[in-house]
Amino acid sequence: MTSSVFHPFESFRLVKEQKQGSLWIACILLVIYYLVAALKDTAAGYSFNQFDASNYNSFYLLLSTVGLVLLWTGANWLVCTLLGGIGRLGEIFIVVCYSLVPTVAAQAVSTIFTHILVPDEFVFVTIFETICTMYTFFMLMIGTMKIHDYEFGKFLKTTLLTIVAMMIIVFLLFLVFLLAQQVYGWISTIYVEAKYR
């Protein structure tokens, strides 16, 4: 796991060629990512804390962390399977979760420093967070190229198609949710009508 941060080229090559990398560790990293994001929202220092319990939605946070990772994993697998990618679903998930390590570390450091620094000094932490986020995207790029055996140009193409596929999946899920809601309303209306006749 730590070697993927310092040696992403070699580590992600080994994920593909020697089946190194653990689904269990990937799942644990994903849970930690969610928990650290929740702590950043709720446990920041007084000067930085904008937490409002009445408006806070932990389900939205779950969707924007765990849901986004699962959505990217599924969409990327669908797109790359059609375009000659050789990465398996589990390998994509491992790469995505291992790539989150810099972001998780940055969010944890940021949360700690909200209790130490004043807002004027926090610019250095913000720069550190930005660098870690960029490194996460770099690791994701390297990992995706290694497990699918893609060149950079094909990576860009499949990434754009993956984003389109994610939007289509979200749209279809939204339609299914609306349809299920309407069917539920229709069935409950029939039940009420039948009950009082």
Side-chain angles (χ1 to χ4, degrees):
M1 180 185 71
T2 52
S3 64
S4 64
V5 176
F6 300 108
H7 308 287
F9 288 90
E10 181 66 15
S11 296
F12 292 137
R13 182 185 68 80
L14 293 174
V15 168
K16 183 64 192 172
E17 294 178 3
Q18 297 183 14
K19 308 301 178 198
Q20 291 189 8
S22 166
L23 281 173
W24 283 107
I25 292 175
C27 290
I28 291 168
L29 282 172
L30 189 56
V31 171
I32 292 172
Y33 176 49
Y34 170 72
L35 294 175
V36 169
L39 279 174
K40 186 180 177 187
D41 285 347
T42 59
Y46 178 76
S47 301
F48 302 90
N49 200 333
Q50 300 173 350
F51 176 66
D52 180 8
S54 61
N55 292 327
Y56 189 71
N57 190 339
S58 58
F59 182 69
Y60 173 75
L61 181 66
L62 184 70
L63 288 179
S64 62
T65 53
V66 176
L68 194 61
V69 167
L70 296 177
L71 184 62
W72 170 272
T73 301
N76 186 258
W77 176 72
L78 289 170
V79 167
C80 292
T81 299
L82 294 173
L83 296 178
I86 57 174
R88 297 178 180 167
L89 189 63
E91 293 167 348
I92 299 169
F93 180 69
I94 289 170
V95 163
V96 174
C97 292
Y98 279 32
S99 298
L100 291 172
V101 171
T103 298
V104 171
Q107 289 183 345
V109 168
S110 173
T111 305
I112 291 167
F113 273 98
T114 58
H115 295 276
I116 301 170
L117 302 177
V118 298
D120 291 340
E121 299 169 333
F122 203 70
V123 64
F124 301 108
V125 179
T126 305
I127 292 169
F128 174 70
E129 272 192 288
T130 304
I131 292 169
C132 286
T133 302
M134 291 169 64
Y135 193 64
T136 289
F137 286 119
F138 174 74
M139 287 178 64
L140 183 60
M141 177 186 77
I142 298 303
T144 303
M145 289 169 62
K146 287 293 180 184
I147 61 169
H148 289 301
D149 195 24
Y150 280 167
E151 299 295 328
F152 182 70
K154 197 159 187 183
F155 163 76
L156 287 179
K157 177 182 174 184
T158 54
T159 298
L160 290 173
L161 290 174
T162 297
I163 292 169
V164 171
M166 288 169 70
M167 291 189 286
I168 292 171
I169 290 169
V170 168
F171 178 71
L172 290 174
L173 288 173
F174 181 69
L175 285 181
V176 168
F177 174 75
L178 285 179
L179 182 62
Q181 199 174 32
Q182 288 181 348
V183 168
Y184 173 76
W186 179 70
I187 291 173
S188 61
T189 303
I190 291 176
Y191 173 75
V192 169
E193 289 291 330
K195 184 178 179 181
Y196 290 106
R197 288 198 176 197

